Amino acid sequence: MKSPLGLEARLPVFDLFKDSLFLLWTKRTRLISMFLPLILILVVLDHFSTQLQAEMFAAFEQATDTNPAVFEKYGRMIFFGLTSMLLSVLLATTVHRFSLQDPSQWPLNALRVPTRYDLKYLLRSIVVVLASAFVGGIAVMLASLVLASVMGPEEAVKLSAVVAVPCLMLMIYVMARLSVTLPEIAIGTEGSDLGRAWRMSQGNGSRLVIVVLALPLLVSSPFLLLANVGNTVTDIIAAFGAYFMTLISITVLSLSYQFLVEFYEPQEDEQVVAEDNKDDSGMDA
């Protein structure tokens, strides 16, 4: 993507990372009051989900698949998982608003009743994952057919792992590019679609892979390693640290969107309407 002056609009990932740290640090008091209650609940949910998962595996080993206790634990784990997913959406959309909007549009607390923009964000996230998986699946299928026709079915099976790696990379690339407009959904913009995300991210696919995947893994890696210790205290510390690192990652994505949208020239048929400050999002100063 080129700027109005004809220059390549390249994402300055490192500068955006520094800007996100500066933003979060300068607003740290408001940040803690806004996100700590939600993160606390997410940590508790994750802790009980982990315990429940261990109990469920133990029940499978000691009983048959028809044991009522197994189904009860399975149902509770699904409930915890869905609740955690919804709360994670609230975390993400609130961070996007925190990063991109005026403080008058910030919620008092990220732990709030979900709005239609939160649900649209969840739906768009699911669509992005499904679209990326579809592209990756098609790539795997085509590559396997080509190998089978050239080398034979048996050799194609042996090389399946080799084929899967570039196809997985393609899936990650597509997901990163389509994710660039998720902040746009979070702040209430109407009319944004996957085509707009693809055009906006043109020329910055590899940089967005860093923003969407590599950077979150990098900043969270110390806490992910800490979680492998297997101690309850270290697990809780690791969960808190990982969620706070998630705030940084989502902020970088928000600032990446803000950078790209400033250089983006909408198509003539695009019907994108900016967010309405008087929407039903329940935001208050």
Side-chain angles (χ1 to χ4, degrees):
M1 186 173 65
K2 295 183 180 294
S3 70
L5 296 178
L7 303 175
E8 292 292 336
R10 301 294 188 185
L11 270 176
V13 177
F14 184 67
D15 291 336
L16 293 176
F17 178 70
K18 291 192 298 183
D19 290 344
S20 68
L21 291 178
F22 178 77
L23 172 64
L24 296 176
W25 178 254
T26 55
K27 303 292 185 181
R28 58 189 180 279
T29 303
R30 183 70 184 272
L31 184 79
I32 293 174
S33 64
M34 187 183 297
F35 292 102
L36 185 57
L38 181 57
I39 290 177
L40 179 61
I41 293 178
L42 283 168
V43 169
V44 172
L45 283 175
D46 290 346
H47 177 68
F48 280 110
S49 294
T50 302
Q51 286 188 332
L52 191 61
Q53 187 177 21
E55 292 175 3
M56 190 179 72
F57 287 150
F60 270 120
E61 293 177 356
Q62 298 174 5
T64 63
D65 294 349
T66 57
N67 190 303
V70 174
F71 288 105
E72 180 184 355
K73 294 179 185 298
Y74 188 67
R76 287 164 57 192
M77 193 170 71
I78 292 178
F79 172 77
F80 284 152
L82 293 176
T83 304
S84 180
M85 180 177 65
L86 180 58
L87 294 180
S88 297
V89 169
L90 294 181
L91 178 73
T93 54
T94 306
V95 174
H96 289 313
R97 287 185 173 269
F98 182 86
S99 306
L100 298 173
Q101 291 187 318
D102 184 87
S104 64
Q105 296 299 304
W106 296 351
L108 290 175
N109 198 310
L111 185 59
R112 52 191 167 78
V113 177
T115 68
R116 62 190 180 100
Y117 294 126
D118 298 316
L119 299 179
K120 287 176 65 176
Y121 187 94
L122 174 59
L123 178 61
R124 173 59 61 87
S125 301
I126 294 173
V127 170
V128 167
V129 172
L130 292 179
S132 306
F134 177 78
V135 172
I138 293 296
V140 168
M141 183 180 66
L142 292 177
S144 299
L145 289 175
V146 171
L147 286 177
S149 62
V150 174
M151 307 177 64
E154 294 183 359
E155 292 297 326
V157 172
K158 294 179 181 179
L159 294 176
S160 58
V162 178
V163 171
V165 172
C167 293
L168 177 63
M169 294 176 63
L170 175 63
M171 184 182 74
I172 292 172
Y173 174 83
V174 172
M175 183 172 64
R177 288 191 59 175
L178 296 182
S179 298
V180 72
T181 53
L182 285 176
E184 198 167 55
I185 303 297
I187 61 176
T189 303
E190 300 283 356
S192 178
D193 57 17
L194 295 183
R196 174 178 167 88
W198 193 256
R199 292 188 295 272
M200 187 181 296
S201 60
Q202 183 178 357
N204 285 286
S206 59
R207 290 172 173 81
L208 284 169
V209 169
I210 297 174
V211 170
V212 173
L213 181 68
L215 184 61
L217 287 176
L218 180 63
V219 298
S220 300
S221 57
F223 299 102
L224 296 178
L225 293 174
L226 185 62
N228 291 326
V229 174
N231 181 276
T232 301
V233 175
T234 56
D235 287 347
I236 294 175
I237 294 174
F240 269 106
Y243 278 117
F244 276 107
M245 292 303 102
T246 300
L247 300 183
I248 299 175
S249 304
I250 299 175
T251 302
V252 176
L253 178 59
S254 299
L255 298 183
S256 299
Y257 159 76
Q258 188 177 52
F259 176 88
L260 292 175
V261 78
E262 290 178 356
F263 295 104
Y264 178 66
E265 296 182 4
Q267 303 293 307
E268 293 182 359
D269 58 342
E270 283 189 30
Q271 301 293 327
V272 177
V273 181
E275 69 274 13
D276 183 358
N277 290 340
K278 296 181 180 180
D279 59 24
D280 63 350
S281 60
M283 299 296 163
D284 43 332

